[in-house]
Amino acid sequence: MYELHVTERFSAAHHLRGYGDPCEQVHGHNWKVTAFVHCERLDDVGLGLDFRTLRRRLREVLGDLDHRDLNDTPWFRETNPSAEHLARHVFERLIERLAGSPAALDRVLVQENDDSGASYRP
Ligand SMILES: [Zn+2]
């Protein structure tokens, strides 16, 4: 089994309702998102999935979040845009875009900074 991953970044504001200071105040992060896929076979070139393909699909998903207040997006008007919920959101949107791909999406890791983050796998 091979595991591949790509990392992309986006910048967005959020706040966590019902959490208390300071995360209840609107603030921003330079979010770091890593998508992990796995595959059993490689193509004739020796690739499980072209990194460029995975990166393009991940960018499509993150493009809808970049430079937004996440609480104002349709997905997080009622659900808190925590790292955990963001990881699930990105996973569910990315897996649709990888349909028919030779590699299967395994999990998505969302980091608020280099030291803390949350990942989601179904
Ligand atoms: Zn935050």
Side-chain angles (χ1 to χ4, degrees):
M1 185 74 76
Y2 301 93
E3 184 186 70
L4 293 71
H5 71 271
V6 298
T7 299
E8 285 291 321
R9 291 168 176 78
F10 72 99
S11 301
H14 79 157
H15 66 276
L16 299 178
R17 306 165 190 99
Y19 181 83
D21 284 340
C23 291
E24 198 157 7
Q25 305 300 318
V26 176
H27 61 280
H29 294 288
N30 293 313
W31 303 86
K32 188 169 152 186
V33 181
T34 304
F36 297 84
V37 302
H38 66 263
C39 59
E40 293 184 18
R41 292 189 200 85
L42 304 182
D43 64 16
D44 293 341
V45 180
L47 306 179
L49 175 65
D50 192 326
F51 288 138
R52 290 177 302 177
T53 302
L54 182 54
R55 189 174 300 283
R56 187 166 46 243
R57 300 290 178 255
L58 182 56
R59 279 184 186 155
E60 288 169 7
V61 173
L62 301 184
D64 290 337
L65 305 173
D66 192 33
H67 284 75
R68 303 280 303 271
D69 181 337
L70 298 177
N71 295 73
D72 288 340
T73 64
W75 311 285
F76 298 109
R77 288 206 175 104
E78 294 178 13
T79 302
N80 263 337
S82 60
E84 291 87 336
H85 284 154
L86 265 173
R88 181 171 185 157
H89 169 80
V90 172
F91 185 98
E92 290 176 347
R93 300 199 71 214
L94 185 57
I95 199 167
E96 295 169 2
R97 286 170 162 78
L98 291 173
S101 162
L105 184 60
D106 186 56
R107 70 184 169 104
V108 168
L109 169 66
V110 170
Q111 293 177 258
E112 291 189 349
N113 53 51
D114 285 340
D115 303 318
S116 44
S119 67
Y120 175 79
R121 73 160 53 96

